[in-house]
């Protein structure tokens, strides 16, 4: 029988051992990761980034706590390639998904009747099964993995659950919300909510529920919004709020200018789009508040980014990127420059960072931050940014883009390389190249090939060697190209489409405007 002294000593020992065990568990608990990916959100579509019109207080707060990369790039000017780059850590020339999955190629391109001089190359139609995805990398390190929202990286057999995600809510082959942004959703991977339920908020709540279920073990939650992709829909309340704000700011006498192929929106005053942006911000708030309420905020890495630049031309002609040239689908900075935030627990971010980063960097960075051990089956071309968070500098490196296609937004077949402060663009239609000093010329107005021939030659060689080494697919001349038909279409875009867009813009700002019944008509009664 133990005496009182022995009982006391043994009890004290157990208490100390218990305290030590708890402390060790807390220290060794791997950080969670929440990855937030917005669809088509432009570089200047956020308050912290300089938008005078859109209001994003929750994302602005996240930005204040995060490393802000002012030279953050998507892996491509359109969605599927950029998403594949995030998933695999590879540039488009390596994973082979060079256009949005479903885009026409070869002679089928003529069906669009855009009369372009080349026929687009073909591409991979699903995420390579053999590649180790971000989800598979985290599962290999003991993480639960969850996916909510847009996927667009392949048909059945190549869904999130086929590439390492334990759960998939809403991710399938479609690139836009089939039922719009209000229930019923017409999505086989997402049960309908009550009529009028908002898709963006629903996806955020799904992630919040997953976080609650998984709070006691490390997790990767991937929230991939369908917003702010077309169709541009919002609520009556948000439309009225931003319609009044646009009027108070002063409505510009025109909102579009003609680009090379299509009109470009040059002002941020679309109240429907502003409301859609605000819904994304509301949804981010739901997720961040859940992390805080469960005591997980201090042990959770949060990423916020977009798959490509904002839509200034084509699709819904929704926004203006303001700080950079062009938008989604274009080789200009507006097509590839995106919001790029990483919140790292236990660090104190200072000023925004101008080191060029890209979507391929997320995979190696996140694996590095969790001290992960992963045997990747593919060559990871991204770079871990962890040294930056530790106060070190990274060496200058080259970032590559390959897009042998035409875009719905007026983009043309081309490839680019950025190295340091310089960017070279190679046009496949005629082979000519352009050189820009991006840090001083974000609008790409001053072509510098003649002034810096050595720099142009060096970057041209770098790009050429890279593309040759990857044996990339290329567009081919269209033997049926008719220049007169091409010029006729451009004339129609300027003289017929642009006036219609200007009228639509003013209609949206009219106090008596009413949308289609498929969204406001679905709003639940108060």
């Amino acid at each position: 029988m133990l005496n009182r002294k022995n009982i006391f000593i043994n009890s004290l020992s157990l208490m100390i051992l218990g305290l030590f065990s708890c402390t060790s568990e807390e220290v060794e608990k791997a950080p969670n990761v929440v990855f937030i990916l917005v669809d088509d959100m432009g570089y200047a579509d956020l308050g912290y980034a300089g938008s005078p019109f859109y209001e994003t207080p929750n994302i602005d707060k996240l930005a204040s706590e995060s490393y802000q990369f002012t030279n953050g790039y998507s892996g491509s000017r359109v969605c599927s390639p950029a998403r594949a780059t995030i998933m695999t850590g590879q540039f488009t020339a390596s994973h082979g998904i060079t256009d949005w999955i479903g885009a026409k190629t070869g002679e089928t391109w003529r069906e669009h009747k855009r009369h372009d001089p080349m026929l687009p190359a073909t591409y991979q139609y699903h995420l390579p099964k053999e590649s180790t995805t971000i989800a598979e990398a985290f599962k290999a390190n003991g993480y639960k993995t969850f996916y909510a929202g847009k996927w667009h990286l392949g048909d059945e057999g190549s869904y999130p659950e086929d590439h390492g995600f334990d759960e998939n809510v809403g991710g399938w082959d479609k690139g836009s919300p089939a039922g719009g942004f209000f229930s019923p959703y017409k999505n086989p991977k997402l049960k309908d909510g009550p009529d009028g339920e908002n898709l963006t908020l629903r996806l955020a709540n799904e992630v919040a529920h997953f976080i609650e279920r998984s709070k006691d073990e490390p997790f990767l939650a991937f929230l991939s919004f369908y917003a702010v992709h077309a169709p541009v829909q919002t609520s009556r309340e948000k439309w009225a709020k931003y319609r009044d704000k646009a009027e108070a700011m002063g409505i510009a006498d025109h909102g579009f200018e003609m680009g090379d192929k299509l009109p470009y929106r040059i002002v941020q005053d679309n109240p429907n789009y502003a409301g859609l942006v605000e819904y994304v911000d509301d949804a981010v708030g739901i997720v961040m508040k859940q992390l805080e309420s469960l005591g997980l905020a201090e042990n959770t890495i949060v990423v916020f980014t977009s798959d490509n630049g904002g839509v200034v031309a084509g699709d819904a002609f929704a926004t203006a990127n303001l700080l950079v040239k062009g938008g989604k689908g274009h080789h200009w900075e507006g097509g590839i420059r995106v919001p790029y935030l990483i919140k790292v627990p236990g660090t104190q971010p200072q000023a925004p960072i101008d080191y060029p980063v890209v979507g391929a960097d997320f995979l190696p960075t996140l694996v590095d931050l969790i001290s992960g051990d992963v045997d990747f089956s593919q060559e990871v071309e991204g770079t871990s940014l962890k040294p930056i968070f530790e106060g070190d500098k990274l060496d200058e490196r080259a970032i590559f883009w390959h897009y042998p296609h035409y875009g719905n937004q007026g983009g043309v077949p081309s490839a680019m390389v950025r190295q340091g402060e310089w960017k070279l663009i190679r046009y496949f239609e005629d082979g000519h190249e352009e050189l820009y000093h991006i840090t001083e010329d974000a609008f790409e107005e001053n072509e510098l090939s003649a002034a810096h021939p050595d720099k142009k030659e060096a970057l041209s060689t770098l790009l050429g060697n890279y593309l040759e080494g990857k044996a990339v697919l290329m567009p081919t001349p269209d033997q049926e190209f008719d220049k007169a038909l091409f010029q006729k279409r451009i004339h129609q875009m300027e003289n017929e489409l642009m006036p219609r867009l200007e009228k639509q813009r003013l209609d949206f700002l009219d106090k008596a405007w009413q949308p289609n019944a498929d969204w406001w008509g679905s709003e639940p009664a108060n």
Side-chain angles (χ1 to χ4, degrees):
M1 179 179 293
L2 294 173
N3 59 32
R4 291 184 179 180
K5 181 178 179 181
N6 288 336
I7 292 173
F8 173 77
I9 291 173
N10 281 309
S11 298
L12 182 62
S13 299
L14 288 171
M15 288 174 61
I16 294 171
L17 181 60
L19 288 171
F20 178 77
S21 298
C22 290
T23 303
S24 298
E25 184 179 346
E26 290 173 2
V27 170
E28 295 175 1
K29 187 176 185 300
N32 309 303
V33 176
V34 172
F35 197 115
I36 302 172
L37 178 62
V38 191
D39 193 7
D40 292 354
M41 177 164 276
Y43 179 63
D45 279 353
L46 299 160
Y48 85 88
S51 173
F53 188 55
Y54 313 130
E55 298 179 15
T56 55
N58 291 302
I59 300 171
D60 295 348
K61 181 177 184 296
L62 174 62
S64 71
E65 302 166 345
S66 302
Y67 291 92
Q68 299 179 26
F69 291 89
T70 57
N71 285 276
Y73 289 101
S74 62
S76 175
R77 65 187 78 173
V78 294
C79 58
S80 297
R83 292 163 182 271
T85 289
I86 290 171
M87 288 292 158
T88 65
Q90 292 185 306
F91 300 141
T92 53
S94 293
H95 58 64
I97 303 176
T98 51
D99 204 357
W100 62 274
I101 295 175
K104 295 182 184 299
T105 64
E107 293 184 356
T108 62
W109 181 252
R110 297 185 187 127
E111 295 173 12
H112 287 305
K113 299 188 184 303
R114 296 177 187 168
H115 310 292
D116 293 304
M118 303 194 83
L119 298 175
T122 190
Y123 55 88
Q124 290 288 334
Y125 287 84
H126 57 82
L127 195 63
K129 189 68 176 178
E130 62 274 14
S131 295
T132 304
T133 66
I134 189 171
E136 290 166 336
F138 273 75
K139 279 180 68 68
N141 284 275
Y143 277 67
K144 289 183 66 175
T145 57
F146 180 85
Y147 195 92
K150 175 173 174 175
W151 178 244
H152 206 186
L153 284 172
D155 207 334
E156 192 165 353
S158 187
Y159 284 164
E161 59 267 35
D162 302 306
H163 292 280
F165 287 98
D166 297 322
E167 298 180 56
N168 167 31
V169 178
W172 61 317
D173 60 297
K174 295 295 184 290
S176 59
F181 283 99
F182 296 91
S183 184
Y185 301 122
K186 301 180 181 178
N187 184 329
K189 292 292 185 176
L190 181 65
K191 292 181 180 179
D192 290 334
D195 283 354
E197 179 185 63
N198 182 276
L199 174 60
T200 304
L201 301 184
R202 166 68 178 278
L203 294 174
N205 282 315
E206 292 284 353
V207 170
H209 296 327
F210 166 76
I211 291 172
E212 185 170 18
R213 298 196 307 270
S214 310
K215 61 182 181 294
D216 296 325
E217 51 192 314
F219 61 79
L220 165 67
F222 204 110
L223 174 52
S224 177
F225 291 115
Y226 281 94
V228 290
H229 192 288
V232 176
Q233 300 172 333
T234 190
S235 66
R236 189 186 311 269
E237 180 183 10
K238 291 187 188 298
W239 166 78
K241 169 184 174 179
Y242 286 101
R243 195 222 71 85
D244 292 347
K245 183 173 182 178
E247 185 175 64
M249 291 175 62
I251 297 174
D253 60 359
H254 69 286
F256 294 87
E257 292 180 356
M258 188 61 194
D260 293 339
K261 288 188 172 185
L262 289 170
Y264 288 8
R265 178 179 276 273
I266 59 172
V267 294
Q268 291 185 350
D269 65 359
N270 184 338
N272 299 323
Y273 184 75
L276 191 56
V277 169
E278 189 175 281
Y279 266 123
V280 169
D281 187 74
D282 293 340
V284 170
I286 289 171
V287 174
M288 299 306 293
K289 288 180 176 63
Q290 179 73 305
L291 292 173
E292 293 168 3
S293 68
L294 295 173
L296 300 175
E298 296 308 312
N299 194 42
T300 301
I301 301 162
V302 181
V303 170
F304 181 91
T305 192
S306 175
D307 60 353
N308 46 250
V311 183
V312 303
D315 300 347
F317 296 84
T319 191
N321 286 318
L322 300 181
L323 306 177
V324 286
K325 182 177 180 178
K328 176 184 178 180
H330 302 137
H331 51 281
W332 308 114
E333 290 292 284
I336 54 176
R337 190 90 70 95
V338 293
Y340 200 112
L341 305 174
I342 304 178
K343 180 184 178 184
V344 182
T347 62
Q348 296 295 324
Q350 302 297 322
I353 300 165
D354 61 7
Y355 180 78
V357 293
V358 67
D361 297 335
F362 287 124
L363 177 55
T365 298
L366 294 174
V367 169
D368 206 1
L369 287 174
I370 67 167
S371 301
D373 183 15
V374 181
D375 184 16
F376 289 100
S377 59
Q378 75 274 19
E379 174 196 4
V380 174
E381 293 174 292
T383 297
S384 173
L385 306 178
K386 185 179 178 182
I388 292 177
F389 309 145
E390 296 174 340
D392 296 327
K393 291 186 177 181
L394 291 175
D395 294 335
E396 186 177 278
R397 47 78 185 260
I399 300 171
F400 298 97
W401 295 267
H402 178 57
Y403 186 75
H405 313 283
Y406 290 99
N408 294 335
Q409 306 78 23
V412 296
S414 56
M416 301 100 72
V417 58
R418 173 158 180 182
Q419 186 177 48
E421 300 181 342
W422 296 88
K423 174 182 173 183
L424 180 101
I425 304 167
R426 177 179 294 176
Y427 295 85
F428 294 144
E429 288 180 339
D430 60 8
H432 90 276
E433 296 176 336
E434 295 175 352
L435 178 70
Y436 296 95
H437 192 273
I438 290 299
T439 55
E440 295 180 356
D441 183 21
F443 282 94
E444 294 162 278
E445 295 175 323
N446 301 310
E447 205 284 310
L448 298 174
S449 294
H452 297 274
D454 292 344
K455 176 59 69 174
K456 179 186 176 182
E457 182 180 358
L459 288 181
S460 179
T461 300
L462 184 65
L463 177 60
N465 289 342
Y466 177 79
L467 296 178
E468 183 178 350
K470 296 296 180 181
V472 295
L473 300 176
M474 297 289 285
T476 57
D478 186 355
Q479 302 303 320
E480 297 182 14
F481 172 63
D482 187 322
K483 187 173 182 179
L485 290 175
F486 175 80
Q487 292 176 334
K488 179 181 178 181
R489 183 174 185 272
I490 300 301
H491 183 270
Q492 290 173 333
M493 295 300 100
E494 182 171 11
N495 295 282
E496 297 177 19
L497 176 60
M498 192 154 68
R500 291 202 302 269
L501 291 171
E502 290 286 8
K503 180 181 182 302
Q504 181 190 62
R505 169 178 167 261
L506 296 179
D507 286 344
F508 288 162
L509 295 167
D510 190 311
K511 290 183 178 181
W513 180 76
Q514 292 291 323
N516 296 332
D518 62 348
W519 43 301
W520 283 3
S522 297
E523 286 187 312
N526 292 329

